[in-house]
Amino acid sequence: MSARLRALWALRTTRERTIIAAVAALAGAVLFLWLVLSATRGRAELRAGITALRGEALRLERDAAEIERLRAAPRVAASHSDLRPLVEAQCNAAGVGGAVVRVEAAGPDQVSVVFGALAFADWLSLLQRLEAVHVRLESSRIEALATPGMVGVTATFTRVAAP
């Protein structure tokens, strides 16, 4: 086959050989540029993927640390005699004990709590904590305060039978 190609090449004039060589060089250059651009685009996509994966890894590490912190925290035993100590303990554990203005027990399974200035995100976190220990929000009145994100809350909680 190589003898056949040499014979075919020998039949071409100098001008044809020059044109064929130029077209082949141009095709090679275009192919090379296409490969370089494709690799560059792929590299940029992979770099963006790596950044996203690093962020996800950091989030997972924070979540794992939070889980370990919660597992290490002392568990509050639910008092079946009075709901007030349980609610107070959960407020303190959530870091909002300082915002509690008044806690009144309306019965063994119902308590009213008045919060002064409380971050709304902290309020939502407290509700999740209380739900985890089978205490349900019965009613609430939430007032926005002058400071953005801060609220005043008056809430009534009741004990729910554990499933």
Side-chain angles (χ1 to χ4, degrees), residues 9 12-29:
W9 184 256
R12 303 283 173 225
T13 64
T14 307
R15 183 177 177 166
E16 288 176 338
R17 287 181 192 169
T18 305
I19 291 172
I20 290 171
V23 168
L26 183 63

Side-chain angles (χ1 to χ4, degrees), residues 31-109:
L31 179 63
F32 178 76
L33 287 175
W34 178 76
L35 288 173
V36 168
L37 288 175
S38 180
T40 303
R41 275 190 229 118
R43 187 174 177 187
E45 290 173 7
L46 289 174
R47 184 168 291 160
I50 287 173
T51 303
L53 288 173
R54 283 183 181 154
E56 182 72 15
L58 287 174
R59 186 187 62 77
L60 288 173
E61 287 175 2
R62 282 193 306 260
D63 289 350
E66 178 69 11
I67 288 170
E68 289 301 318
R69 185 187 68 76
L70 291 174
R71 284 184 180 158
R75 300 208 184 260
V76 177
S79 167
H80 293 291
S81 61
D82 190 10
L83 185 60
R84 181 180 176 163
L86 176 63
V87 171
E88 288 175 339
Q90 290 299 317
C91 288
N92 290 331
V96 297
V100 175
V101 175
R102 185 175 65 241
V103 179
E104 295 177 356
D109 290 333

